[in-house]
Structure formats: structure tokens, C-alpha cells
Amino acid sequence: MEFCDECGSMMKAEDELWVCDSCGNKTPKDPEANYVVTEDQEASEVIETSKGDEQSALPTTEAHCPECGNDRARWYMQQIRAADESETRFFICTECEHKWREDDN
């Protein structure tokens, strides 16, 4: 792993160069170095997911949907207020996809 001398970002290997995606800096690779590429690195690619895929990966719980009355919802937590306050729980109905939140009061 190499880091950019200009901005400190991690650099990517391209042919005989290290290239920084952040600032565009290019540095030649050391011909004496023994670079090891794992199978994960060799096969890495961007996988696009749809919104439905993200939601189906969320855990489910018992929660009453205010729109359709269904009793199951997917949920996640997100910090939307100050760091010293608790996270907000978001629910997505498994039937109608209605989204609502629950704050700690």
C-alpha cells in the first residue's frame, strides 16, 4: 500500500505507476519491490445495488406501520443530532414501504 506524498491519500496501482485519485499525483513503482496482489484485489470491482437491495439487507422487527397497520418493519439507526444525543431509529414497513422515525424522548 502506498500513500500520496502530496495529499496523503491512498494510491492505486496502474501499470508501472502509483496514481492518486484525490490529487492526480503519479509516482513510479519501485522496480525492486515485490508487490503482492491478492485475489480480492485482482477481482475488485464496483457493484451497484438498487434501493430495494439495501432495504432487504436490513433487520426486521415488530413495529406498527402508521400508514397500513402492518406489524413488521425493517429498521436502522442513524446519528442525525449532536454526538452527545442518542441515535434516531428509522423504520420501513415491509408491506407498503412507508418510512417513519422514532426518537428517544
Side-chain angles (χ1 to χ4, degrees), residues 3 5 10 14 18-19 22 24 33 35 46 59 67 77 82 89 94:
F3 294 93
D5 293 332
M10 188 168 57
E14 289 185 8
W18 289 107
V19 180
S22 296
Y35 299 108
V46 175
E67 288 291 311
M77 296 180 81
R89 287 180 297 275
T94 56

Side-chain angles (χ1 to χ4, degrees), residues 4-87:
C4 180
D5 293 332
E6 300 295 320
C7 69
S9 296
M10 188 168 57
M11 299 180 85
K12 291 184 177 179
E14 289 185 8
D15 298 320
E16 300 300 318
L17 296 173
W18 289 107
V19 180
C20 178
D21 281 342
S22 296
C23 70
N25 183 34
K26 295 181 180 181
T27 307
K29 288 183 182 177
D30 181 3
E32 301 294 319
N34 183 17
Y35 299 108
V36 177
V37 179
T38 66
E39 286 181 27
D40 291 341
Q41 292 168 330
E42 189 69 39
S44 68
E45 61 184 60
V46 175
I47 300 173
E48 293 184 28
T49 60
S50 69
K51 187 174 180 179
D53 290 338
E54 290 175 17
Q55 288 182 1
S56 64
L58 295 174
T60 59
T61 187
E62 270 189 48
H64 180 76
C65 175
E67 288 291 311
C68 72
N70 183 36
D71 64 349
R72 296 296 294 170
R74 292 180 183 86
W75 65 275
Y76 64 95
M77 296 180 81
Q78 187 173 4
Q79 186 72 38
I80 60 171
R81 296 173 288 178
D84 63 340
E85 296 184 42
S86 63
E87 294 178 309

